[in-house]
Amino acid sequence: MNPKTASITSAFSPARGDLVRVGSTRRGFLQTGLAGLAGVSMPSLLQTQALAAATGQAKRKTNVILFWLSGGPSHIDMWDPKPDAPSEIRGPFGHISTKVPGIHVCEHLPLTAKIMDKLTLIRSVDCSASNHTPITMQACNPLAKRTNDGRDGGGWPSMGSIAAKFRGANAPGIPGYVALADSLPADIWGAGHMGGDFEPVSGKDLSGRLKLSEGLTVERLGNRRDLLAQMDDWKRSVEGNAQIAAADRYTQQAYEVLMTGNAQRAFNLDAETPAMRDRYGRDSIGEKALLARRLVEAGSTFVTVSGAWGYFDHHGDEVKWGGIKKGLTPLLPSVDRTLHAIVTDLEERGLLDSTLILMMGEFGRSPTINKNAGRDHWPRVMSMVVAGGGMKHGQVIGSTDRQGGDIDSRRVAPGDLAATVFHHLGIEQNTHWTDPQGRPRPIVADEGKVITELVG
């Protein structure tokens, strides 16, 4: 993002002594404490984890960070340069070599070039079903479409919601699926017909709830005896409420989990050194990326990051985000820095193999620069970046034709991306969810297959 972009620190920093707000109202506690802070409801998550442990089915910790470049990033001007094409196709930028011989990227991505051995560029993603929304590509399902009739998505869920349902969080007291975006309706796709329990948790909203009610302190809540006494007082205050009366040991355990402060600590960017914050960048995408690292480190399974709504929609100099040269030039260094920071930071922490990083948008942009110095929407093909996940990297998968307008080799379908993500998360490919009519729906559509170049 442009360095002038407002910092999101204040929106996500719980430095005011934040923890989950409790004790204020019965409804407030139920909504904040029991209504799905872990992607699934906390009691359900604890039951799932207990069952997995009892049956020996507990899986290794894996997670996904999806960087959503809202608006449709220009593949030709970023990851699929066409240096030998005419200027109206080639665009205003030059290209540079990378650490992997034969692979080139835009001249404004020097940090990306330095870690190309840790990245995979997929230049042949078929996004023909996608529109100017996050629906299709965040679901990675061509059946999930924008329809503009109040039935967008056809009920199909996002990959993050599927992760929340069939995987859950990697640790208690932390959301399983978190969205770090200024506008969830604009940039985040949710659970569709799979159910409200699996909707993404808004990082901005959650951080606002991580606050102690008046008169409580972390020290007091850290005292188990005091905590149990407060639980007894709380239970008496809601005596007669059917939902509380039916609470079992998992619900009580959930209450204690919420008091651990895991979420509070994850959202506290003040715990990071100034050098680390500078490394990621003190702009919207950089700070959200650092929060994403802290969230997966704390136990979140799926985190989606969007720097701003539509900021890659570079139609031309007459629109808000500008054309290619005017709009993309100040934006690329921020994306470059963020990608380099998250990959190298996770590697240093020993978390890169367990964390799959995806960077993409809803579609590519047209091969020819238009009269307004921009490029138009182009759903025929797009490029994306993959890193981490213990996969094979230092490669390019697929190619486009000489103009960058059509897939030339190795088509990668949305279903292939979904299959690869779920493979990483340890979710069986033949898993189904049940729609409101009781019909089983596959989590991988369109006969998607795991991308073998990545996983072998």
Side-chain angles (χ1 to χ4, degrees):
M1 285 288 295
N2 190 305
K4 295 181 180 180
T5 302
S7 170
I8 63 164
T9 306
S10 59
F12 288 98
S13 174
R16 301 174 300 276
D18 297 350
L19 196 63
V20 176
R21 184 185 292 114
V22 298
S24 54
T25 66
R26 176 171 60 195
R27 173 177 291 183
F29 175 82
L30 290 173
Q31 290 178 341
T32 303
L34 300 178
L37 290 184
V40 294
S41 67
M42 185 66 71
S44 297
L45 171 63
L46 293 167
Q47 286 177 317
T48 300
Q49 291 176 335
L51 179 60
T55 59
Q57 294 177 351
K59 299 175 180 178
R60 70 185 184 94
K61 293 181 179 180
T62 53
N63 41 69
V64 176
I65 299 176
L66 167 59
F67 287 93
W68 185 248
L69 305 188
S70 175
S74 174
H75 54 293
I76 295 174
D77 298 295
M78 294 177 68
W79 303 310
D80 188 12
K82 300 294 181 182
D84 297 326
S87 60
E88 65 271 18
I89 294 172
R90 182 175 68 247
F93 306 141
H95 65 98
I96 56 175
S97 58
T98 70
K99 191 171 183 179
V100 179
I103 300 179
H104 292 73
V105 294
C106 171
E107 63 178 318
H108 295 300
L109 300 175
L111 295 176
T112 298
K114 288 182 179 180
I115 58 169
M116 189 64 235
D117 58 319
K118 305 181 194 321
L119 309 176
T120 293
L121 301 180
I122 305 180
R123 291 175 172 168
S124 55
V125 180
D126 182 350
C127 47
S128 56
S130 186
N131 205 314
H132 214 2
T133 70
I135 297 173
T136 303
M137 296 313 299
Q138 287 189 21
C140 272
N141 183 341
L143 301 176
K145 298 182 180 182
R146 174 182 174 180
T147 55
N148 297 324
D149 60 357
R151 301 175 183 177
D152 285 345
W156 295 95
S158 66
M159 293 186 293
S161 291
I162 289 172
K165 178 175 175 62
F166 295 105
R167 181 60 192 255
N170 285 311
I174 201 78
Y177 177 22
V178 183
L180 303 177
D182 298 338
S183 172
L184 264 66
D187 277 349
I188 305 295
W189 186 237
H193 289 164
M194 202 166 65
D197 283 346
F198 312 108
E199 289 288 342
V201 173
S202 168
K204 184 180 292 187
D205 292 344
L206 178 60
S207 67
R209 295 177 183 177
L210 300 177
K211 183 184 294 185
L212 287 167
S213 59
E214 187 176 355
L216 296 180
T217 65
V218 173
E219 289 74 21
R220 286 184 63 195
L221 289 174
N223 184 295
R224 182 175 176 82
R225 184 174 300 176
D226 191 22
L227 173 61
L228 293 174
Q230 291 183 55
M231 283 184 63
D232 289 340
D233 291 342
W234 166 71
K235 289 166 72 175
R236 282 193 294 271
S237 73
V238 295
E239 187 175 1
N241 182 288
Q243 186 170 357
I244 301 302
D248 58 13
R249 65 188 179 93
Y250 292 107
T251 300
Q252 296 178 35
Q253 189 179 356
Y255 181 71
E256 295 191 46
V257 163
L258 290 170
M259 296 301 98
T260 64
N262 288 344
Q264 177 204 22
R265 288 186 288 273
F267 278 96
N268 185 13
L269 282 183
D270 291 337
E272 298 290 338
T273 66
M276 183 60 74
R277 296 186 68 171
D278 290 341
R279 179 174 173 180
Y280 276 83
R282 296 179 185 250
D283 54 19
S284 183
I285 189 173
E287 295 207 337
K288 287 172 183 171
L290 182 52
L291 281 169
R293 188 267 282 165
R294 292 181 63 83
L295 283 163
V296 298
E297 198 171 30
S300 288
T301 296
F302 203 106
V303 182
T304 301
V305 172
S306 175
W309 175 39
Y311 65 148
F312 279 87
D313 197 16
H314 296 117
H315 283 286
D317 289 344
E318 83 286 4
V319 300
K320 177 180 179 180
W321 301 110
I324 296 300
K325 185 174 183 178
K326 180 180 177 180
L328 204 51
T329 300
L331 187 55
L332 287 176
S334 180
V335 174
D336 188 42
R337 180 181 60 243
T338 298
L339 180 60
H340 181 271
I342 193 77
V343 170
T344 56
D345 188 17
L346 287 172
E347 184 176 43
E348 291 166 6
R349 293 169 184 273
L351 297 173
L352 187 58
D353 283 350
S354 60
T355 305
L356 179 62
I357 299 169
L358 308 173
M359 182 174 277
M360 65 180 183
E362 55 262 52
F363 42 49
R365 303 204 79 82
S366 61
T368 304
I369 298 285
N370 63 32
K371 64 179 182 180
N372 296 313
R375 297 187 192 267
D376 300 313
H377 301 169
W378 198 256
R380 294 188 193 177
V381 65
M382 74 174 190
S383 294
M384 64 176 292
V385 179
V386 182
M391 297 181 180
K392 298 178 180 179
H393 294 298
Q395 62 174 325
V396 170
I397 297 176
S399 64
T400 54
D401 61 17
R402 294 177 63 184
Q403 295 186 335
D406 287 291
I407 295 172
D408 187 55
S409 67
R410 183 51 172 109
R411 171 183 175 266
V412 175
D416 300 331
L417 294 175
T420 304
V421 168
F422 300 144
H423 171 82
H424 167 71
L425 291 174
I427 302 173
E428 295 294 334
Q429 305 293 293
N430 59 356
T431 300
H432 289 70
W433 58 278
T434 305
D435 69 15
Q437 288 73 43
R439 296 172 296 190
R441 299 288 190 179
I443 63 169
V444 177
D446 199 29
E447 299 183 348
K449 305 294 183 184
V450 174
I451 300 172
T452 56
E453 294 94 330
L454 286 170
V455 303

